[in-house]
Amino acid sequence: MAGAFEFECLAQCSQTNARVGVFSTPHGPVETPCFMPVGTLATVKAVTPDQLVAAGAGMILGNTYHLHLQPGENLVAAAGGLHQFMSWKGPILTDSGGFQVFSLSALRTITEEGVKFRSPRDGRMIDITPEKSIQIQNQLGADVIMAFDECPPYPATREQVELATERTYRWLKRCISAHNRSDQALFGIVQGGIYPDLRAKAAVELTKLDLPGYAIGGVSVGEPAEFIPHIVNATAPLLPKSKPRYLMGVGTYREMARAVAAGVDMFDCVIPTRLARHGAVMVQGERWNIKNAKFRDDFQPLDETCPCYTCQNFSRAYLSHLVRSGEILAHVLLSIHNLTELIHFNKRMRKAIQEDRFASEFSRWLRDDAMVESER
């Protein structure tokens, strides 16, 4: 589909590499910078599609590894693909499953051919190769699909990271050969661990393949948080300006703001719904435990400036009551707020870049001494 996946840069910050763009997909445009809610098993946990739309979500994610295990790509394809299956009309991205294979499967064997692992659901042995990952994603039918990569955990030796990065490149070329749908954009993933020279080498090699977009992978895998901006700053400027840049698995104010300043366009993270399931909320970059005693009789909204359904209708006291009572509604309302929080943080960055006040307005999060979300 010629022109279906064009990226247009609409505005640029004069003091940083931050930019505003729009990424065209068959299911609509994606305005960047953007935060993409994670719908691992064809659902963003505890949130309906209508609620996602109300929260401002554009593109959302599904996961190849989990959907392959349950319900299986054949069933999703028979339903008409992920969009039909989960009743989501906007763009969808599927992660290749590489991160999950390496992080969730205790019993696995990695070879040049691919990965063999034992299913955590029924114990059967499963083979995932680059070709298999692409075949699954072709059947799932997302707008953007990710190349199957080897994601080395932290800590790992330089030799281990170098071997994984080289294998990721070889696997990417196999993914390109296996990919057969013109209505899906295949993104490559830059690995390289904490080593800037390995990241640079990988970025140069991948960009020669002229893919529709590129991701920075292998962060938030256990490395100290202060390493992330150094990795991003060393990698993002090497990726094509004419293509979207996606930082995988990141979702804190500080990490997103600093990555946007480096030129990153897209983010995803499970933090909003995971925190909600544990009774935690994100408010103006702080992380609050809503079960704390001080919220028991606090009748203010979580954030009076937040446009979400939760903040417009319920008090901190009520939300604290729901969490203390173990009510399922707590997961719903807290998830709605947390998702809206991160989506609208990106929308605020977008507006600030357009008006060339990003560097000043978001300086709190761009400083080297800026703290990750604090606990209240």
Side-chain angles (χ1 to χ4, degrees), residues 59-77:
M59 178 176 265
I60 64 173
L61 273 69
N63 182 264
T64 298
Y65 170 93
H66 292 286
L67 289 168
H68 175 60
L69 296 181
Q70 174 66 35
E73 63 275 12
N74 291 333
L75 187 147
V76 174

Side-chain angles (χ1 to χ4, degrees), residues 45-47 51 276 310 327-337:
K45 294 187 186 302
V47 182
Q51 289 167 334
T310 303
E327 287 291 338
I328 294 173
L329 184 57
H331 299 173
V332 176
L333 296 180
L334 298 188
S335 293
I336 288 171
H337 169 77

Side-chain angles (χ1 to χ4, degrees), residues 82-83 92-94 137-138 140-145 183-185:
L82 267 182
H83 293 90
I92 299 176
L93 180 152
T94 45
Q137 293 185 83
N138 284 166
L140 294 175
D143 300 87
V144 174
I145 65 176
D183 60 344
Q184 293 180 305

Side-chain angles (χ1 to χ4, degrees), residues 147 158 167 244 302:
R158 179 185 171 88
R167 178 174 284 150
L302 284 173

Side-chain angles (χ1 to χ4, degrees), residues 95-114:
D95 187 356
S96 70
F99 174 77
Q100 286 73 27
V101 166
F102 295 105
S103 64
L104 300 180
S105 301
L107 297 176
R108 63 181 182 272
T109 303
I110 307 169
T111 67
E112 186 63 25
E113 181 61 22

Side-chain angles (χ1 to χ4, degrees), residues 228-267:
I228 296 177
H230 297 295
I231 293 169
V232 175
N233 287 331
T235 308
L238 302 177
L239 300 176
K241 292 182 179 179
S242 60
K243 306 291 178 69
R245 302 160 176 162
Y246 165 30
L247 180 58
M248 306 177 77
V250 162
T252 68
Y253 272 31
R254 176 181 184 263
E255 290 169 348
M256 290 192 296
R258 299 187 75 172
V260 164
V264 170
D265 307 297
M266 303 160 66
F267 306 93

Side-chain angles (χ1 to χ4, degrees), residues 28-247:
V30 179
E31 296 183 338
T32 66
C34 69
F35 177 81
M36 302 177 289
V38 177
T40 303
L41 276 163
T43 174
V44 177
K45 294 187 186 302
V47 182
T48 68
D50 283 349
Q51 289 167 334
L52 283 172
V53 171
M59 178 176 265
I60 64 173
L61 273 69
N63 182 264
T64 298
Y65 170 93
H66 292 286
L67 289 168
H68 175 60
L69 296 181
Q70 174 66 35
E73 63 275 12
N74 291 333
L75 187 147
V76 174
L82 267 182
H83 293 90
Q84 287 290 106
F85 188 53
M86 66 185 296
S87 193
W88 176 254
K89 297 178 180 179
I92 299 176
L93 180 152
T94 45
D95 187 356
S96 70
F99 174 77
Q100 286 73 27
V101 166
F102 295 105
S103 64
L104 300 180
S105 301
L107 297 176
R108 63 181 182 272
T109 303
I110 307 169
T111 67
E112 186 63 25
E113 181 61 22
V115 183
K116 185 186 293 288
F117 64 97
R118 190 174 298 281
S119 168
R121 288 185 173 271
D122 56 19
R124 64 191 169 98
M125 293 304 297
I126 296 175
D127 289 302
I128 296 241
T129 64
E131 292 80 5
K132 181 65 174 178
S133 174
I134 295 300
Q135 177 255 311
I136 295 169
Q137 293 185 83
N138 284 166
Q139 287 187 264
L140 294 175
D143 300 87
V144 174
I145 65 176
M146 303 303 299
F148 191 62
D149 61 326
E150 182 174 349
C151 183
Y154 181 90
T157 66
R158 179 185 171 88
E159 181 182 11
Q160 290 171 325
V161 173
E162 189 166 15
L163 290 173
T165 304
E166 291 172 351
R167 178 174 284 150
T168 291
Y169 177 69
R170 293 192 296 272
W171 282 358
L172 171 58
K173 290 194 288 187
R174 289 166 58 187
C175 288
I176 293 171
S177 296
H179 182 39
N180 60 17
R181 286 187 59 165
S182 63
D183 60 344
Q184 293 180 305
L186 173 63
F187 280 24
I189 302 175
V190 178
Q191 291 289 353
I194 61 172
Y195 304 100
D197 60 317
L198 297 184
R199 291 276 178 179
K201 180 182 177 182
V204 170
E205 289 178 337
L206 266 61
T207 55
K208 289 178 181 177
L209 299 175
D210 193 27
L211 297 168
Y214 297 89
I216 301 172
V219 300
S220 294
V221 292
E223 77 280 2
E226 61 267 22
F227 281 29
I228 296 177
H230 297 295
I231 293 169
V232 175
N233 287 331
T235 308
L238 302 177
L239 300 176
K241 292 182 179 179
S242 60
K243 306 291 178 69
R245 302 160 176 162
Y246 165 30
L247 180 58

